[in-house]
Amino acid sequence: MNYRSLQSKVNRWRKKILVRDNYTCKICGGKNKLEVHHILPFRYFPNHRISLNNGITLCKKCHNKIPRCTKEIVHKVNINLILYCKGNKRDEKKT
């Protein structure tokens, strides 16, 4: 996929996330200076770059509070944390 094609797809993905989240920061509820955050980092998860489940609307202030991920951090992240950040609920299996 060439750069221009990828950029076009990412721009459409951003718009869909903003619409889905009602142009509202999912952390503070703000509506100014909105950005769309990839939950699974763009760099390390190319298959999820334009997945609607991999995006969340954040204001610039909240987005800046999220630490930059490295590959090592991502592999240590608990899937429940990712689901929590997306606002999804998941039934936990009892062992």
Side-chain angles (χ1 to χ4, degrees):
M1 179 181 320
N2 66 40
Y3 175 79
R4 192 168 284 188
S5 174
L6 177 60
Q7 188 62 40
S8 177
K9 287 181 180 186
V10 170
N11 287 339
R12 286 192 303 273
W13 171 84
R14 281 188 179 112
K15 176 72 173 170
K16 288 177 183 178
I17 300 294
L18 288 165
V19 169
R20 181 199 67 197
D21 293 345
N22 198 30
Y23 293 88
T24 303
C25 175
K26 299 308 273 181
I27 293 177
C28 74
K31 294 196 175 265
N32 295 317
K33 298 183 181 179
L34 297 176
E35 301 176 348
V36 177
H37 172 69
H38 282 91
I39 297 166
L40 297 173
F42 188 93
R43 178 179 187 179
Y44 300 120
F45 294 89
N47 293 335
H48 297 282
R49 287 179 176 168
I50 56 173
S51 168
L52 295 180
N53 291 329
N54 189 37
I56 185 169
T57 301
L58 302 174
C59 69
K60 186 172 184 69
K61 184 176 178 182
C62 291
H63 198 192
N64 286 338
K65 292 179 184 177
I66 296 176
R68 298 286 179 234
C69 288
T70 64
K71 197 170 193 176
E72 293 76 31
I73 290 171
V74 169
H75 288 294
K76 292 179 183 178
V77 172
N78 182 320
I79 193 66
N80 289 324
L81 177 60
I82 294 170
L83 292 171
Y84 173 79
C85 289
K86 293 192 305 186
N88 293 331
K89 294 182 181 176
R90 178 175 148 168
D91 293 329
E92 305 238 308
K93 291 182 180 178
K94 298 192 180 197
T95 55

